[in-house]
C-alpha cells in the first residue's frame, strides 16, 4: 500500500496534492471523503456540437460515484473528460474548470499521459489486446517500466484475483485474451486497468455485458477497491447504482426544439440515498421511479 | 416423433421458392463463374511455365554461371548470376522501401491526422502508384546512373521507388482497420503515442502489413523495364551490389525470350519458373513468420 503510493507519486509528473479546497456547493452530507475532483461549469464540445453543458460537481475520495441518466445525456462524455480521453477525439473540447487533487486537469503543463496513468478507465465494450491473458494484464506495468519477471507475475495474479477472473484463467495465462467470453474479457480489462494501481478508476457501464454472478463479483470488487481507489461508474442499472454507489449524479437531455439541439445536463447530484429516496427535481424523480427513460 | 407430427403441421423450413430464391441462386452461380474465370488463366500460366520450364531446371541451372551466349543449349552454363542479381537487387530494394513505407503509413494514420502534410503524402503515394515502371527506370537513370554508372544499387532504387507507394497504401489500409478501442485501452493505462503505436497498433496490423509488403516485393522482382536502364546486363555473377553492371532473372527472361534459339527459349522458361518459385517460397516463409506474430488472433 505505502509502497505503491510512493510508486505512483514517483512516476508521475503531476505536482503533489496541495491543500484541498473546502466542500463545494453541490456537496451533500454523505460519507465524509476528501474531495478529489472539483468540476466547475464544465461543457464539452464535439466540434460545433455542445454535447454537455455546465456540469459542476465534487467527487470524493474513496467513494463510488454513479452517473445515471438516459442515453445520449453525456455520461460517457463527462466521464472521459476526467482522464482527458476526449483529447483523443478530433475536435473535442472541454470548457470550464476541472481540478484533480488541487491541480487543474487541463492546465498548461499537465501531461495527459501522467493523468491517465493515475486515472484509469474501463470501457463499455471489452477491448482486450491481441496478446496473451498474461501480457494483457502486464501491459500497463510494463509500459510504466516494470521489467522484473517475479514482480510482474505477482501483479498479474493479484490483479486477476481482484477482478474475480483468476480461477477461470490461471491455467491458461499464455492463451489469447481474445479467446474469452464477453464477461471474462471485461473482467480481464478491469484487471488490466487496476494492474497499474491507479488512483481513480473510471468505469463506463462495465457490467453491461456480464451475467448477474459476474456483475455481483464486479460489484464486490468495486466495494473492495474503494478502500484504496476512487471510482466513478456510469450505469444504466439503477439497482446497481443503489447497491454500490455512495453518490449519484443524474444526467438528462435538454432538447431545444427551436434550434433542434440536444444537450446533456447534470440535473441533480447528491448522496445515492437522497437521489433515490428524496429526489429534489421532478425529472430525477420520474427517472428513478421508472416513469421515464 | 410420430405424436408431434400428428399434433401439428410440420414446419416448412425449406428455402422458399420465388424471386428471392432465384436471385440468391443467380448470385451464387455468378460468383462461381467469377472464381473459375480468375482461376483458369492463373492455372494456365502456372501449368505452361512449369511444363516448359521444368526441363531446364537443374542445380547447375540455378547456381552456375556464366550465362552462355544465346545460341548454346540450356545444358551449358546456368542462370546463377541472374538468381544472385535478383535476390540482391530486390532484397536491397525491400530494405529501403518497406521500412520507409511502413513508417510513412504510420505517420499518415497515427500522427498526421488531418494535417496537410499527411494528406499530401497519401496523395503523392497514390500518384506514384500510377507511374509506369519504365518511367521510374528512366528517372533513376537520369538522377543516378548518369552520374555514378550502372549498378545493382541503381536497380534497387528503381524497384524501391516502385514498391514504396504500394507499401504505404497497403500498410495505411491495415492501420486504419485497427479499432480505436484498442488504442484507447492503451492510452488509458498511461501509454504515450509512440508506445501505443509500437505495442498495440503495429502488432494488430502486422499480418496485413507483411502481406502488402510481400506483394510489393513479388511485383518488383518481376519488373523488367526499370532494370534495363539501371543495371544493364552481364553474363557473370556480380556480388557487389554497389558497383558495376548486374543482371536479374526478369531481364534475362526478356532477352532470352526474344531469341529464336531453342537454348535461349528454354533458358527464358526456366528463369520464369525460377522467379515464380522464389516468389512462392518468399510468401510461404513470410506466412510462417507472421503466424508467430498473429498467434493470438484466436
Ligand atoms: N465522438 C463523438 N463525436 C461527436 N459526437 C459525439 C461523440 N461521442 C458522443 N457524441 C454525442 O454526444 C452526446 C452525448 O453522448 P454520450 O456518449 O456522452 O452519451 P451517454 O450518456 O454516455 O449515452 P449512453 O447511455 O447511450 O452511453 C450524444 O448526443 C452523442 O451523439
Ligand atoms: Mg455511454
Amino acid at each position: 500500500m505505502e509502497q505503491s503510493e510512493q510508486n505512483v507519486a514517483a512516476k508521475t509528473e503531476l505536482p503533489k496534492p496541495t491543500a484541498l479546497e473546502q466542500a463545494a456547493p453541490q456537496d451533500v452530507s454523505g460519507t465524509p471523503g476528501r474531495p478529489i475532483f472539483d468540476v466547475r461549469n464544465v461543457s464539452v464540445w464535439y466540434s460545433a456540437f455542445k454535447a454537455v453543458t455546465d456540469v459542476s460537481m465534487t467527487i470524493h475520495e474513496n467513494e463510488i460515484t454513479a452517473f445515471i441518466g438516459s442515453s445520449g445525456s453525456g455520461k460517457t462524455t463527462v466521464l472521459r473528460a476526467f482522464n482527458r480521453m476526449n483529447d483523443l477525439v478530433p475536435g473535442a473540447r472541454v470548457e470550464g474548470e476541472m481540478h484533480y487533487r488541487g491541480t487543474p486537469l487541463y492546465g498548461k503543463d499537465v501531461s495527459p499521459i501522467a493523468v491517465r496513468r493515475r486515472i484509469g478507465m474501463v470501457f463499455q465494450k471489452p477491448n482486450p489486446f491481441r496478446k496473451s491473458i498474461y501480457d494483457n494484464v502486464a501491459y500497463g506495468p510494463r509500459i510504466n517500466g516494470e521489467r522484473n519477471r517475479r514482480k510482474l507475475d505477482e501483479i498479474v495474479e493479484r490483479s486477476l484475483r481482484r477482478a474475480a477472473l483468476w480461477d477461470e484463467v490461471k491455467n491458461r495465462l499464455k492463451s489469447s485474451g481474445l479467446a474469452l467470453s464477453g464477461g471474462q474479457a471485461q473482467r480481464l480489462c478491469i484487471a488490466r486497468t487496476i494492474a497499474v494501481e491507479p488512483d481513480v478508476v473510471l468505469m463506463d457501464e462495465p457490467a453491461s455485458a456480464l451475467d448477474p454472478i459476474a456483475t455481483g463479483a464486479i460489484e464486490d470488487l468495486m466495494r473492495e477497491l474503494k478502500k484504496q481507489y476512487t471510482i466513478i461508474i456510469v450505469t444504466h442499472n439503477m439497482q446497481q447504482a443503489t447497491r454500490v454507489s455512495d453518490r449519484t449524479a443524474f444526467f438528462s437531455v435538454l432538447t431545444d426544439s427551436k434550434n433542434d439541439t440536444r444537450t446533456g445536463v447534470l440535473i441533480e447530484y447528491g448522496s445515492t440515498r437522497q437521489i433515490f429516496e428524496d429526489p429534489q427535481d421532478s425529472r430525477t424523480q420520474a427517472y428513478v421511479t421508472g416513469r421515464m427513460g | 416423433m410420430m405424436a408431434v407430427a400428428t399434433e401439428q403441421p410440420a414446419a416448412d423450413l425449406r428455402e422458399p421458392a420465388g424471386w428471392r430464391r432465384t436471385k440468391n441462386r443467380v448470385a451464387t452461380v455468378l460468383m462461381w463463374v467469377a472464381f473459375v474465370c480468375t482461376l483458369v488463366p492463373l492455372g494456365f500460366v502456372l501449368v505452361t511455365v512449369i511444363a516448359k520450364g521444368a526441363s531446364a531446371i537443374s542445380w547447375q541451372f540455378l547456381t552456375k554461371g556464366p550465362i552462355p551466349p544465346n545460341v548454346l543449349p540450356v545444358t551449358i552454363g546456368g542462370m546463377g548470376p541472374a538468381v544472385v542479381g535478383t535476390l540482391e537487387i530486390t532484397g536491397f530494394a525491400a530494405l529501403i522501401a518497406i521500412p520507409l513505407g511502413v513508417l510513412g503509413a504510420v505517420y499518415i494514420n497515427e500522427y498526421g491526422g488531418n494535417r496537410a502534410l499527411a494528406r499530401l503524402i497519401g496523395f503523392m503515394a497514390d500518384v506514384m502508384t500510377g507511374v509506369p515502371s519504365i518511367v521510374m527506370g528512366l528517372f533513376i537513370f537520369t538522377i543516378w546512373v548518369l552520374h555514378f554508372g550502372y549498378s545493382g544499387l541503381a536497380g534497387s532504387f528503381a524497384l524501391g521507388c516502385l514498391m514504396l507507394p504500394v507499401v504505404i497504401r497497403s500498410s495505411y489500409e491495415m492501420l486504419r482497420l485497427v479499432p480505436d478501442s484498442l488504442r484507447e485501452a492503451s492510452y488509458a493505462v498511461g501509454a504515450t503515442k509512440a508506445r501505443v503505436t509500437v505495442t498495440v497498433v503495429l502488432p494488430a496490423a502486422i499480418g496485413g502489413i507483411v502481406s502488402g509488403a510481400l506483394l510489393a516485393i513479388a511485383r518488383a522482382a518481376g519488373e523488367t523495364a526499370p532494370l534495363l536502364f539501371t543495371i544493364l546486363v552481364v553474363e557473370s555473377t556480380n556480388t557487389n551490389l554497389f558497383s558495376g553492371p548486374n543482371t536479374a532473372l526478369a531481364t534475362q527472361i526478356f532477352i532470352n525470350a526474344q531469341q529464336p534459339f531453342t537454348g535461349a527459349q528454354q533458358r527464358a522458361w526456366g528463369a520464369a519458373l525460377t522467379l515464380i518459385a522464389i516468389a512462392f517460397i518468399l510468401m510461404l516463409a513470410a506466412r510462417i513468420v507472421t503466424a508467430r506474430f498473429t498467434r493470438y488472433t484466436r
Side-chain angles (χ1 to χ4, degrees):
Chain A
M1 212 6 239
E2 289 290 333
Q3 206 183 4
S4 72
E5 272 194 2
Q6 275 170 8
N7 262 340
V8 170
K11 275 175 200 154
T12 168
E13 292 122 53
L14 282 177
K16 278 248 168 347
T18 55
L20 287 150
E21 48 277 22
Q22 284 305 301
Q26 283 258 11
D27 198 7
V28 281
S29 53
T31 39
R34 286 190 305 170
I36 182 167
F37 284 106
D38 190 33
V39 181
R40 285 285 149 257
N41 310 104
V42 162
S43 304
V44 187
W45 300 71
Y46 292 110
S47 302
F49 169 63
K50 197 177 196 179
V52 201
T53 188
D54 204 23
V55 173
S56 298
M57 65 196 319
T58 304
I59 308 284
H60 297 256
E61 205 175 22
N62 300 111
E63 285 191 359
I64 300 177
T65 305
F67 288 2
I68 61 169
S70 51
S71 187
S73 57
K75 304 179 295 297
T76 300
T77 302
V78 171
L79 192 74
R80 287 166 60 95
F82 279 94
N83 67 343
R84 299 196 51 171
M85 222 54 189
N86 286 330
D87 291 19
L88 304 173
V89 181
R93 204 166 77 249
V94 174
E95 259 173 25
E97 292 273 300
M98 273 185 115
H99 285 268
Y100 163 67
R101 294 193 182 276
T103 308
L105 265 181
Y106 288 80
K108 220 170 73 211
D109 39 50
V110 168
S111 144
I113 309 299
V115 170
R116 295 185 201 119
R117 168 67 190 72
R118 304 186 92 184
I119 307 172
M121 184 159 204
V122 177
F123 298 84
Q124 179 168 5
K125 241 177 73 194
N127 50 2
F129 298 131
R130 198 165 74 185
K131 299 178 189 296
S132 69
I133 292 172
Y134 184 98
D135 290 341
N136 259 284
V137 183
Y139 182 82
R142 279 184 179 143
I143 284 288
N144 290 291
E146 184 59 69
R147 285 276 167 268
N148 185 320
R149 185 76 211 187
R150 242 192 40 244
K151 269 231 182 96
L152 283 175
D153 286 349
E154 252 172 56
I155 293 173
V156 168
E157 175 170 352
R158 177 161 33 103
S159 307
L160 284 171
R161 275 191 193 284
R162 279 181 164 172
L165 186 61
W166 176 252
D167 290 330
E168 286 157 72
V169 300
K170 64 181 171 205
N171 294 323
R172 48 176 178 135
L173 291 176
K174 291 283 163 230
S175 62
S176 171
L178 298 184
L180 293 174
S181 76
Q184 289 172 330
Q186 186 63 298
R187 278 175 285 156
L188 178 65
C189 294
I190 293 176
R192 182 177 63 195
T193 303
I194 57 180
V196 293
E197 305 261 341
D199 185 26
V200 180
V201 181
L202 309 174
M203 298 179 155
D204 195 352
E205 299 183 47
S208 59
L210 303 190
D211 67 82
I213 293 173
T215 305
I218 297 289
E219 290 176 5
D220 288 343
L221 164 73
M222 293 200 289
R223 280 187 213 101
E224 177 63 32
L225 287 179
K226 80 170 187 180
K227 292 177 193 154
Q228 257 187 66
Y229 308 129
T230 305
I231 297 175
I232 307 179
I233 176 176
V234 172
T235 179
H236 277 291
N237 181 335
M238 279 185 272
Q239 277 85 44
Q240 183 169 55
T242 53
R243 277 194 304 261
V244 297
S245 71
D246 302 294
R247 282 169 218 260
T248 298
F250 170 64
F251 289 81
S252 185
V253 188
L254 282 190
T255 318
D256 185 341
S257 48
K258 248 202 341 270
N259 308 320
D260 194 31
T261 52
R262 300 164 57 81
T263 318
V265 281
L266 173 60
I267 300 289
E268 195 171 353
Y269 177 47
S271 75
T272 299
R273 164 171 293 219
Q274 180 254 309
I275 293 288
F276 283 90
E277 283 173 12
D278 182 26
Q280 303 298 304
D281 195 288
S282 59
R283 287 165 293 186
T284 317
Q285 184 171 28
Y287 189 80
V288 299
T289 52
R291 276 187 276 118
M292 175 199 124
Chain B
M1 290 303 279
M2 283 314 283
V4 172
T6 48
E7 270 166 28
Q8 56 183 20
D12 184 4
L13 296 177
R14 285 169 305 169
E15 192 181 17
W19 179 224
R20 249 179 66 172
R21 180 168 76 175
T22 318
K23 267 201 298 191
N24 185 24
R25 296 202 169 163
V26 168
T28 311
V29 168
L30 281 180
M31 275 184 264
W32 274 102
V33 169
F35 171 65
V36 171
C37 283
T38 42
L39 214 60
V40 163
L42 253 177
F44 194 65
V45 168
L46 209 62
V47 166
T48 317
V49 173
I50 291 175
K52 301 238 184 184
S55 61
I57 302 280
S58 65
W59 188 244
Q60 180 201 342
F61 180 83
L62 292 177
T63 57
K64 292 276 156 33
I67 302 164
N70 294 319
V71 288
L72 292 183
V74 76
T75 46
I76 294 172
M79 274 293 168
V83 173
V84 171
T86 289
L87 293 181
E88 274 182 313
I89 294 164
T90 324
F92 197 72
L95 220 57
I96 306 170
I98 292 172
L100 268 183
V102 173
L103 287 177
V106 165
Y107 173 75
I108 299 175
N109 197 55
E110 305 295 318
Y111 287 82
N114 230 350
R115 247 172 266 161
L117 180 61
R119 271 179 300 162
L120 181 74
I121 296 175
F123 177 71
M124 292 314 278
D126 288 348
V127 172
M128 247 170 101
T129 320
V131 174
S133 58
I134 193 161
V135 174
M136 212 61 92
L138 278 170
F139 167 65
I140 298 298
F141 180 78
T142 45
I143 70 155
W144 185 268
V145 176
L146 286 182
H147 304 287
F148 304 102
Y150 293 102
S151 69
L153 184 66
S156 294
F157 285 156
L159 295 187
C161 287
L162 285 171
M163 289 168 67
L164 190 62
V166 181
V167 175
I168 291 181
R169 187 41 65 183
S170 61
S171 306
Y172 170 73
E173 294 299 338
M174 287 303 132
L175 293 174
R176 240 168 39 129
L177 288 181
V178 177
D180 274 339
S181 66
L182 287 186
R183 293 189 181 88
E184 290 190 336
S186 178
Y187 279 121
V189 292
T192 57
K193 190 159 207 155
R195 269 289 173 71
V196 173
T197 306
V198 172
T199 60
V200 173
V201 179
L202 282 177
I206 191 75
I209 291 178
V210 170
S211 292
L214 278 178
L215 283 176
I217 294 179
R219 244 203 66 195
E223 281 293 348
T224 315
L227 294 184
L228 291 175
F229 291 104
T230 48
I231 66 171
L232 221 56
V233 180
V234 291
E235 281 69 46
S236 52
T237 308
N238 178 2
T239 47
N240 188 350
L241 181 71
F242 300 98
S243 87
N246 215 319
T247 188
L249 284 168
T251 42
Q252 286 300 334
I253 297 170
F254 176 67
I255 292 161
N256 281 283
Q258 290 174 327
Q259 305 298 323
F261 312 106
T262 334
Q265 297 270 315
Q266 277 187 332
R267 261 191 295 280
W269 284 113
L273 184 55
T274 312
L275 200 54
I276 290 177
I278 290 177
F280 183 75
I281 291 169
L282 203 72
M283 295 278 171
L284 215 62
R287 281 276 148 258
I288 293 167
V289 173
T290 39
R292 232 188 70 81
F293 286 117
T294 50
R295 71 201 135 144
Y296 290 127
T297 344
R298 218 192 260 236

